Amino acid sequence: GIAELVVTGGGAKSGATTKWLGYLRILRLFRLARVAKIVVLLLTKDLLWARSQRFQSFIMGVIAFNCILLGLEVEFKNNPLWPILENVLLVIYTFELLVRLRCDGCSFFYNKRELFWNYLDLIIVVGAILDQWIRPAALAIATSAGASSTDTLSHTGEIMRIMRLMRLIRILRLVKLIKGIKPLYTLAVGIGKSMQGMGWVMGLSASFLYLVSLLAVKLAGGQHPLFISEHADQNGNMVTPEKFQELISCFGNLPDTIYNLFKVMNADTSGVDNLVFYEPWVKWTVMCFTIISNWAIFSILTAVVSENMAKVTEDHEKELEAEQAEITRKEVRSKLNKMFDNLDVDQSDTLNEDEFMAVWADELTEREFQELTGWTRENASELFEALSEQEDRPLKIRSVTRAAFIEGLDMGGDHLTMRSIMRLEKRLAELDTQLRRRLGKRFEKQSSQIGLVSPSQISLRSLRSADYDCRKGFSYDSHQL
């Protein structure tokens, strides 16, 4: 770039200078290496900060600013500042999408929990790139190739119109803004899930409105109404046939009747006022219809929506609690794994009793261990005995593996689940295999005497009996069982 400025600043016009200037301008292509540098950073750096609340709040602020900008663009058109701001915002959105693709990997495209929002973001960003970057670049390339902008637009008119429609996709950012505001998102989800219950209430309302409209047309409308006849009005004046037809015109046909009665459902009687004051019994009929349609049915609708909103709010809170519990559990497991590395002095990926007891040698480590697991110094020996296994070595040293350390300590806050039961059965099966291998025929003989089928079927009484009998013949580790 500096060399190009020097050559052009000298004002030389010779053919050789022009030739070298062309070569220098080709070097501009190397500026694309900056893009490659950004790609390398995205692929190699740790981007867990993109999941932090601070970064998410920043993105929500950008989306809120963009929504305000969309309104300003409608009111104040042809402002040269708008394209600049739109491109800056698109750079931020593109960067955020690439970071999420890097963090989520292939799960970005099939994660059921975030599937809608992921594809919404992808469509918005891709549509904006097509509209703001690719379309102007295509026009510039076509113009530089010798085609006029008019010819280019005439040949690609349909494509350009479709790409211009992509601008409307930007409005969908409002939907993502709703997701970022938790109370608003809960309300939107509640309304969405209430639609099923609302559908039945709406069906009831439509059926009732249709039935009453049919009766109104038959009894009080049409050319010859059954329950309404020509008589003097409330002032004592006889109505003419034309005036009479005008009075019953509110129930003249089914569509008009449905519309006027729908207005009555919403406490608007302007469509039937003339007939109400002409025929007294219509007044009482309209009152009964309003009580049933407005007070009763709308009350049912309100109750259905309120019930669904309460249920959705409760489910959403449980969902947030489950997410927070999972995040906390991952943090605990990560800290336990790091603590295991610090305790494993000999790098054997196991902890002997001295290494395990080193947890309580340091006050900070002891406090962190107690906060993570809830175990105290008084339970140290019992905890080591529960987590440790006897190694298959000549010295028969008991040690704690990494998996036992993390899984065993992390299970402290678990509820009883099928997974924990299966884990226990697996542990019992391993002990059974070890015991059979070490004791051989003596174990088979002893187990046949007590009717032992599998470790998972041993009761407390049989364990005590087995322990008493086995002490006579061989060493039986009932505590380990």
Side-chain angles (χ1 to χ4, degrees), residues 292-390:
I292 296 174
S293 62
N294 192 310
W295 298 3
I297 295 181
F298 282 178
S299 298
I300 295 173
L301 180 63
T302 304
V304 169
V305 174
S306 300
E307 182 181 358
N308 280 276
M309 282 298 302
K311 186 176 183 301
V312 167
T313 302
E314 183 180 356
D315 293 343
H316 187 61
E317 290 178 354
K318 290 181 179 179
E319 187 177 325
L320 293 178
E321 290 177 359
E323 290 180 358
Q324 186 61 39
E326 183 64 23
I327 293 173
T328 303
R329 181 168 184 172
K330 289 181 179 179
E331 292 177 354
V332 170
R333 294 175 71 89
S334 176
K335 291 180 180 179
L336 287 176
N337 189 51
K338 185 177 180 181
M339 183 181 294
F340 186 91
D341 292 333
N342 295 332
L343 296 174
D344 188 14
V345 180
D346 56 0
Q347 303 297 320
S348 61
D349 210 36
T350 58
L351 298 179
N352 56 38
E353 187 170 4
D354 293 335
E355 292 175 334
F356 184 83
M357 293 302 175
V359 172
W360 289 272
D362 181 66
E363 183 178 355
L364 293 178
T365 305
E366 179 182 357
R367 186 183 307 168
E368 182 183 8
F369 185 81
Q370 185 173 350
E371 290 176 356
L372 294 176
T373 64
W375 293 93
T376 60
R377 184 190 298 269
E378 289 75 13
N379 309 114
S381 300
E382 178 185 352
L383 186 60
F384 179 78
E385 185 70 20
L387 298 177
S388 62
E389 296 178 358
Q390 194 171 22

